Amino acid sequence: MSIKLFTNELSAVYDDSLRQMLISDFEIIQDAINEMLDNQLIIKRQQSDIKETQTTIESKIRVQDENMHELVNILTKYDVPIQIVNGKVVETEEGE
């Protein structure tokens, strides 16, 4: 996305040096605005990529937690002294 300012449309009523200074200033402003707009697009794309990565990671963590709970449930059925405490799988003493 870019913006084109009318830099060469200034009336010749002004003296030529002032006209040239204003044209130069407008061109500098135009370049700065266009750079900001380009950076804004890049930032939006990066934010989208970060959100997508975050969603993927959260999904993988959920699946991992579900698998861990299922594994602990299976092992418990076979009298393996194991349980989840504070999100960690720990071995328990017999009879706990």
Side-chain angles (χ1 to χ4, degrees), residues 24-40:
S24 175
D25 287 347
F26 281 133
E27 288 172 345
I28 291 169
I29 292 168
Q30 175 179 289
D31 292 343
I33 289 172
N34 288 333
E35 185 176 340
M36 287 189 304
L37 292 172
D38 290 343
N39 288 339
Q40 186 178 25

Side-chain angles (χ1 to χ4, degrees), residues 42-80:
I42 290 169
I43 289 170
K44 285 183 180 181
R45 277 190 231 115
Q46 289 174 339
Q47 285 176 330
S48 176
D49 291 346
I50 289 170
K51 285 181 182 180
E52 185 177 319
T53 301
Q54 180 182 7
T55 301
T56 301
I57 289 171
E58 288 171 350
S59 174
K60 287 180 179 182
I61 289 172
R62 237 184 342 269
V63 168
Q64 182 181 9
D65 284 347
E66 290 169 1
N67 289 341
M68 181 179 62
H69 283 281
E70 188 62 30
L71 180 61
V72 168
N73 289 340
I74 291 170
L75 291 173
T76 302
K77 288 178 185 177
Y78 290 100
D79 294 329
V80 175

